[in-house]
């Protein structure tokens, strides 16, 4: 990938309404004054382009929705999140680590960690869990992009700062009850992530896996 850094504006911008199918993959994008990737119409500096349900809009890179990162565990180099976009479509999700986060709260992509393919359901939603190719550390800021099967890459997601393992809800509040989440991926080869929540540290947990 390319090293894209030190720009007074965005790292990469796609700005024409007919400019779709532009893949922005495996780069090191950091230290730019604007967004790492900015999908915008002409010179309209409107900041982060918000996601929309099932992603029906058109414009630069079809204003592709970005993923939402929900949890990360540096010990197992695993990251979980979700994507809402075009129903029944395959996307390439790329994950990145950063030493800091853009002032907007949405990231750049300093260090590529890995990629995974996901396919949305009929409602446009898909959850994912990835064991990354490259390790990351507590304190890092993680981000992600989604690239549609037509090649259009999204802006970077909101930053998720990695912290020592704690169980939290999607809004960041501590969990109030124990819960077991679906193994992702399943079926799998060679590995999967089985994520669970406990309401307090030090709980005794036994997981039984049936094949």
């Amino acid at each position: 990938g390319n090293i894209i850094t030190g720009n007074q504006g965005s790292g990469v911008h796609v700005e024409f309404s007919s400019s779709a199918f532009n893949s922005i993959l495996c780069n090191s994008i950091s230290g730019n004054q604007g967004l790492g990737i900015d999908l915008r119409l002409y010179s309209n500096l409107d900041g982060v382009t918000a996601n929309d349900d099932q992603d029906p809009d058109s414009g630069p890179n079809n204003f592709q929705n970005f993923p939402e990162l929900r949890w990360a565990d540096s010990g197992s180099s695993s990251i979980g999140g979700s994507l809402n976009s075009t129903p029944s479509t395959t996307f390439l999700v790329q994950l990145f680590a950063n030493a800091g986060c853009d002032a907007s709260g949405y990231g750049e992509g300093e260090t590529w960690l890995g990629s995974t393919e996901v396919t949305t359901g009929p409602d446009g939603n898909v959850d994912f869990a990835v064991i990354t190719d490259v390790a990351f550390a507590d304190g890092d800021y993680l981000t992600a992009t989604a690239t549609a099967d037509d090649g259009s890459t999204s802006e970077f997601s909101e930053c998720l700062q990695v912290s020592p393992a704690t169980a939290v809800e999607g809004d960041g509040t501590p969990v109030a009850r124990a819960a077991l989440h679906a193994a992702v991926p399943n079926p799998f080869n060679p590995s999967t992530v089985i994520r669970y929540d406990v309401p307090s540290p030090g709980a005794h947990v036994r997981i039984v896996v049936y094949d």
Side-chain angles (χ1 to χ4, degrees):
N2 303 288
I3 297 173
I4 302 170
T5 187
N7 292 288
Q8 294 182 6
S10 54
V12 177
H13 69 263
V14 184
E15 68 174 27
F16 296 108
S17 58
S18 60
S19 296
F21 325 129
N22 298 287
S23 299
I24 307 165
L25 301 170
C26 301
N27 302 291
S28 175
I29 302 176
S30 66
N32 302 287
Q33 292 187 20
L35 298 177
I37 299 173
D38 192 359
L39 307 182
R40 68 191 194 211
L41 283 172
Y42 309 107
S43 59
N44 183 20
L45 300 177
D46 55 356
V48 176
T49 302
N51 285 345
D52 52 342
D53 187 42
Q54 298 190 357
D55 214 0
D57 51 355
S58 60
N61 268 8
N62 291 321
F63 289 124
Q64 171 59 48
N65 282 358
F66 48 78
E68 295 184 16
L69 299 182
R70 303 193 180 281
W71 59 270
D73 178 8
S74 61
S76 61
S77 296
S78 56
I79 303 171
S82 63
L83 175 66
N84 173 277
S85 192
T86 310
S88 304
T89 302
T90 298
F91 297 86
L92 180 69
V93 173
Q94 292 211 312
L95 300 149
F96 301 86
N98 302 268
C101 184
D102 184 79
S104 66
Y106 290 71
E108 298 189 79
E110 187 172 8
T111 303
W112 175 84
L113 298 176
S115 306
T116 188
E117 281 194 348
V118 301
T119 301
T120 53
D123 60 356
N125 293 307
V126 62
D127 294 327
F128 60 85
V130 183
I131 297 175
T132 60
D133 297 322
V134 179
F136 54 89
D138 290 345
D140 285 349
Y141 291 86
L142 305 182
T143 56
T145 61
T147 299
D149 56 4
D150 66 9
S152 298
T153 299
S154 70
E155 296 179 350
F156 284 104
S157 69
E158 187 174 7
C159 298
L160 173 70
Q161 188 173 23
V162 183
S163 59
T166 55
V168 296
E169 303 285 6
D171 62 2
T173 59
V175 300
R177 58 184 173 78
L180 179 64
H181 302 269
V184 179
N186 186 26
F188 61 90
N189 181 11
S191 60
T192 189
V193 173
I194 301 174
R195 178 173 161 250
Y196 60 88
D197 300 335
V198 292
S200 61
H204 293 280
V205 175
R206 183 166 70 101
I207 294 178
V208 180
V209 178
Y210 296 92
D211 185 359

